[in-house]
């Protein structure tokens, strides 16, 4: 006769394996760690190529304000062909993070391949604005504000459209030299 300990340990191991393995159905979940500069729009773009997942991500993660997420925050993103990623053990979590980052980078590369970049400053500037905030001057993501998701300290409390445009132009000129160079950097890194 088997002892209770053997049965209990076997049951716990089976349950742990079941949680770790998850299911690979048509609508699987992916655990995504928010990076600095991310917004729900940007995350939705990475996973679906459009903004169709914003409301679902907010609902699934109990986010009351879709314009406020924080770097390091972990979000469940339901995708069509993703995998279930659980945080069962640190080694598994690190491996899962690598998988999520690879998936995110692949999705970002696919999105960039569809860009309509024409090589002018105005098109590069608009392209970045669409990637950062879907073109909204009122978008916020933690301390990042507005159309170009500038750090709030750069804007000195003036969040007007005119100041956002002026500060964005100064930032890009000082850091990259041109909007085209900023776009090239964004394409390589997923931020500018």
């Amino acid at each position: 006769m088997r002892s209770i300990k053997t049965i209990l340990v076997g049951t716990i191991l089976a349950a742990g394996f079941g949680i770790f393995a998850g299911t690979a159905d048509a609508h699987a979940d992916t655990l995504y760690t928010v990076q600095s500069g991310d917004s729900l729009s940007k995350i939705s773009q990475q996973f679906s190529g459009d903004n169709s997942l914003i409301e679902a991500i907010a609902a699934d993660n109990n986010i009351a304000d879709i314009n406020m997420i924080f770097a390091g925050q972990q979000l469940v993103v339901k995708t069509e062909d993703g995998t279930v990623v659980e945080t069962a053990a640190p080694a598994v979590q690190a491996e899962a993070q690598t998988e999520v980052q690879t998936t995110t980078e692949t999705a970002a590369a696919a999105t960039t391949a569809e860009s309509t970049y024409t090589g002018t400053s105005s098109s590069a500037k608009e392209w970045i604005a669409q990637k950062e905030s879907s073109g909204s001057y009122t978008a916020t993501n933690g301390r990042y504000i507005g159309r170009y998701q500038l750090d709030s300290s750069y804007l000195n409390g003036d969040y007007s459209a005119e100041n956002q445009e002026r500060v964005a132009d100064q930032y890009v000129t000082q850091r990259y030299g041109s909007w085209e160079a900023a776009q090239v950097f964004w394409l390589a890194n997923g931020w500018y």
Side-chain angles (χ1 to χ4, degrees):
M1 186 171 190
R2 296 176 120 179
S3 73
I4 292 291
K5 288 181 184 176
T6 306
I7 293 171
L8 183 59
V9 169
T11 304
I12 290 172
L13 287 174
F17 179 78
I19 288 172
F20 172 72
T23 60
D25 63 1
H27 297 285
D29 299 344
T30 300
L31 186 63
Y32 177 79
T33 302
V34 175
Q35 305 297 311
S36 180
D38 275 351
S39 65
L40 290 183
S41 175
K42 189 184 276 187
I43 294 167
S44 179
Q45 287 280 339
Q46 290 173 347
F47 284 90
S48 68
D50 57 28
N51 289 333
S52 64
L53 295 178
I54 292 174
E55 295 298 326
I57 295 170
D60 293 340
N61 292 281
N62 298 321
I63 298 173
D65 183 353
I66 63 170
N67 296 314
M68 189 168 291
I69 58 174
F70 303 95
Q73 182 177 4
Q74 294 191 333
L75 302 176
V76 173
V77 180
K78 292 185 178 178
T79 60
E80 291 297 317
D81 59 352
T83 57
V84 176
V85 179
E86 296 290 338
T87 56
V92 172
Q93 184 175 9
E95 190 174 287
Q97 287 292 36
T98 302
E99 181 180 328
V100 170
Q101 288 171 350
T102 302
T103 302
T104 302
E105 291 165 4
T106 303
T111 302
T112 29
E114 299 170 6
S115 79
T116 57
Y117 177 63
T118 62
T120 65
S121 286
S122 62
S123 68
K125 184 176 183 180
E126 182 61 25
W127 186 91
I128 288 175
Q130 291 302 314
K131 292 293 185 182
E132 292 295 315
S133 68
S134 297
S136 172
Y137 286 106
T138 59
T140 59
N141 182 15
R143 69 176 195 228
Y144 301 100
I145 307 292
R147 184 172 170 87
Y148 305 101
Q149 291 294 284
L150 297 166
D151 191 297
S152 60
S153 66
Y154 296 164
L155 297 169
N156 295 320
D158 180 2
Y159 303 144
S160 67
E162 296 80 21
N163 192 48
Q164 288 183 41
E165 293 291 335
R166 181 175 42 256
V167 171
D169 286 336
Q170 290 170 349
Y171 171 78
V172 166
T173 300
Q174 289 173 352
R175 183 167 178 150
Y176 303 104
S178 70
W179 281 99
E180 293 87 357
Q183 183 181 28
V184 168
F185 184 89
W186 199 105
L187 287 166
N189 299 286
W191 60 277
Y192 79 111

